[in-house]
Amino acid sequence: MKKQYIISIVFFVFMAFSQHSYAQSDTLDIESMTKEDVMALSYDQLLALPFEDLLQLADIVGVSLEELYELILNKDVVSASKKIESSFEAPLSTSVISYDEIVASGARNIEEALRLVPGMIVREKTSGNFDVHIRGNDNIPPRHMFLYSENSITLVMINGRPVYNYAHGGTFWETLPIGMEDIDRIEVVRGPSNALYGPNAASGVVNIITKDIIEPELKARVNAELGTQNNQRASLRLQKKVTPKLGLAVTGNFYHADRNTDKLYVHQTDEYVSKDVLDTLPDPKNPQYNIFDPNDDIDDMYPDPGLARENMGANAYVNYNISNNSFADLSAGLQYSDIISSTMGDNPTPTVGRESLTGYGDLRLKINDFQAQINYLDGWQDIVKQDTGFKMDIKTLNANAEYDFHVGDLNIRPGFAYQLAIYNDEPFLSETGQDGFFNGSKDIYSFAGSLRLDYTLFERLRLIAALRAEDYNTHDDMYFSYQFVAAYNLNDKHYFRAVHSRANRGPFFADNYANYLWDRDERPIPRYIDFQ
């Protein structure tokens, strides 16, 4: 009933707002628009405008009408060097996919949309749940403790805010609070980027950038879809530019999909069985034992074995343009997710439940050549449902500040960053009376300093040198990352890069604090598994 109720609300809001929204969809105050305002328009907005207005917009940008369409569809990127530049001239191999391209592709979620990017490996591990890698780098370092964990060497961000899981490493895509209607574009940087963004960008960066608020009218966009296997997707976006400088927006998203069966695959017997059978199925090699661990509760681990994925999120955005080159953006949101995906534990089936409830706040500030960002996330995650030690409270804090000094054609950018991650399993151990991985609150924090030099010679040759030093509380030695780039723009169609970089995957809790003797009572030998 809950899901049908949500869909009904979405359709009600659609009926309430759609006529007002679309009646004013073509209304733009073109006379007062700046180049930045024009570049923030979508491809669909351009298509809806009269020809005379399009010519006026092209004049504002200073390009032909054909070039304007090309620029809107292939917008400039900021993730390759933290400044606006074309993806063609970015110092690292960079791709950008726009919202319009994502919609045209029919992608149901962000992971599927990344299949549009060259060099991305997007694997659907279980129905609706994905593992994403850049250029195929996977399971690095080899033989690490959590073989089934997510990609831990690619940094995924939302507007520059890391969404990394510091307990076991990696990104849990279903826990992203945003939906498709939040996205303006997704930028993918292929290649080591720690010198620019810090730890875990060893193979590259995926930066999801949300939409700007530019229309003065109240705008509403609602989408609802139903499909086979109980696929349900809904989204809502309301936005309004309250004053010429202040914009407000709220969004909501919901996604649900079922598996094609409610049965569970069993390794030992090579068959699919219901969870009621699994609970009593004898082990073929040790008939005196059940396949399923009697210490576990199968109803807690698989409350709905037919579920593939369910996630929902709500976000609020405040954009304030201080001047042409200064702004303050504030965003906040909540997310809940519940999925069945590949397991990290010692289970008789390859899949297990994973659940998460978190909230975040993110403040970005730019005043001319100074930029800073601070964000905080709080909540809990249960990485392997029901298994003791995998459910924990989480708190993460990221803060950074940089300043650009311009000396002729040389740009000098010093920076400072601080990261803190706190994970605590103790509140959930009292429920079971058993030991966990941490048995309390543990933290990882780091201080980092960086320096980036960017020099353009003869208007065609670009030289970049960047160095970042990170000091972790978990290690005595500093981590050093660097990046050296030589890029030459031969002409409008040929661009050459030579890049040499060093990057590292930052430490996470399983590397540092796991000191856990798992006593699997009433299980076959070896009944003890020692995590160190």
Side-chain angles (χ1 to χ4, degrees), residues 16-46:
F17 283 99
S18 60
Q19 184 173 358
H20 172 80
S21 171
Y22 289 106
Q24 301 189 30
S25 62
D26 295 340
T27 304
L28 288 176
D29 186 6
I30 294 178
E31 298 295 336
S32 64
M33 292 184 72
T34 65
K35 179 179 178 180
E36 290 73 22
D37 293 334
V38 177
M39 292 304 300
L41 295 175
S42 70
Y43 194 73
D44 285 342
Q45 287 175 305
L46 287 186

Side-chain angles (χ1 to χ4, degrees), residues 170-463:
T171 300
F172 299 135
W173 291 91
E174 78 279 0
T175 66
L176 272 57
I178 62 173
M180 304 296 251
E181 288 300 325
D182 295 85
I183 299 172
D184 176 71
R185 64 190 187 276
I186 302 175
E187 298 180 0
V188 178
V189 180
R190 291 175 291 271
S193 303
N194 282 41
L196 194 62
Y197 288 106
N200 309 312
S203 66
V205 170
V206 177
N207 192 15
I208 305 166
I209 298 174
T210 58
K211 294 175 179 175
D212 289 327
I213 305 164
I214 61 170
E215 293 93 346
E217 307 88 9
L218 175 64
K219 304 285 285 189
R221 186 179 179 100
V222 180
N223 180 64
E225 300 175 17
L226 298 174
T228 57
Q229 289 187 206
N230 200 22
N231 266 267
Q232 304 175 24
R233 186 156 70 97
S235 62
L236 165 69
R237 181 180 179 89
L238 299 174
Q239 68 177 48
K240 179 178 176 60
K241 198 153 189 177
V242 182
T243 70
K245 292 188 174 183
L246 177 64
L248 303 175
V250 293
T251 68
N253 62 84
F254 173 79
Y255 179 67
H256 176 97
D258 285 343
R259 302 170 62 224
N260 60 9
T261 178
D262 60 359
K263 295 184 177 181
L264 303 165
Y265 178 78
V266 180
H267 290 294
Q268 292 95 324
T269 59
D270 189 25
E271 63 178 334
Y272 284 88
V273 302
S274 68
K275 73 173 185 179
D276 296 332
V277 173
L278 177 63
D279 200 14
T280 59
L281 195 64
D283 187 335
K285 295 183 179 180
N286 300 279
Q288 69 272 29
Y289 297 105
N290 287 342
I291 284 180
F292 191 79
D293 191 337
N295 299 299
D296 296 333
D297 188 321
I298 197 165
D299 290 320
D300 287 343
M301 187 173 289
Y302 302 102
D304 181 7
L307 173 71
R309 173 173 176 169
E310 181 172 279
N311 59 267
M312 59 190 75
N315 301 271
Y317 303 93
V318 180
N319 300 152
Y320 185 74
N321 294 318
I322 302 170
S323 65
N324 286 338
N325 198 34
S326 302
F327 65 82
D329 287 349
L330 176 64
S331 60
L334 297 168
Q335 71 81 216
Y336 171 77
S337 62
D338 186 7
I339 70 170
I340 290 182
S341 188
S342 57
T343 181
M344 293 184 188
D346 181 44
N347 294 304
T349 69
T351 55
V352 77
R354 191 164 73 204
E355 192 173 9
S356 175
L357 176 64
T358 60
Y360 78 94
D362 184 22
L363 174 63
R364 294 183 295 146
L365 178 66
K366 186 179 188 300
I367 302 177
N368 297 320
D369 290 325
F370 172 79
Q371 55 185 334
Q373 183 172 14
I374 182 169
N375 47 73
Y376 178 73
L377 181 139
D378 197 347
W380 58 264
Q381 289 183 341
D382 192 355
I383 309 304
V384 180
K385 267 191 181 181
Q386 208 277 322
D387 266 10
T388 303
F390 284 93
K391 187 175 183 179
M392 53 196 74
D393 286 330
I394 61 175
K395 303 178 191 299
T396 64
L397 174 69
N398 297 278
N400 62 77
E402 297 176 327
Y403 191 88
D404 287 310
F405 294 94
H406 303 281
V407 183
D409 293 326
L410 174 65
N411 182 76
I412 305 172
R413 183 191 298 160
F416 170 80
Y418 173 73
Q419 289 188 328
L420 170 67
I422 301 174
Y423 281 63
N424 184 11
D425 60 355
E426 189 171 20
F428 307 103
L429 297 177
S430 59
E431 302 173 2
T432 63
Q434 297 178 337
D435 288 338
F437 283 112
F438 310 144
N439 299 303
S441 177
K442 301 293 182 181
D443 61 77
I444 291 176
Y445 62 83
S446 68
F447 294 92
S450 62
L451 180 65
R452 183 179 179 85
L453 306 176
D454 192 335
Y455 182 63
T456 302
L457 187 64
F458 308 129
E459 297 185 354
R460 290 188 178 274
L461 178 62
R462 185 176 178 186
L463 303 174

Side-chain angles (χ1 to χ4, degrees), residues 106-126:
R108 298 173 299 169
N109 48 50
I110 294 171
E111 306 94 285
E112 286 187 348
L114 289 172
R115 285 178 167 151
L116 301 173
V117 180
M120 298 295 290
I121 307 299
V122 181
R123 299 180 301 194
E124 191 167 9
K125 301 181 298 180
T126 62

Side-chain angles (χ1 to χ4, degrees), residues 88-92 455-464 485-499:
F88 177 72
E89 296 180 347
L92 295 174
Y455 182 63
T456 302
L457 187 64
F458 308 129
E459 297 185 354
R460 290 188 178 274
L461 178 62
R462 185 176 178 186
L463 303 174
I464 297 174
V485 181
Y488 185 73
N489 188 355
L490 182 61
N491 52 45
D492 292 340
K493 295 184 178 180
H494 299 88
Y495 193 81
F496 298 91
R497 302 182 188 91
V499 182

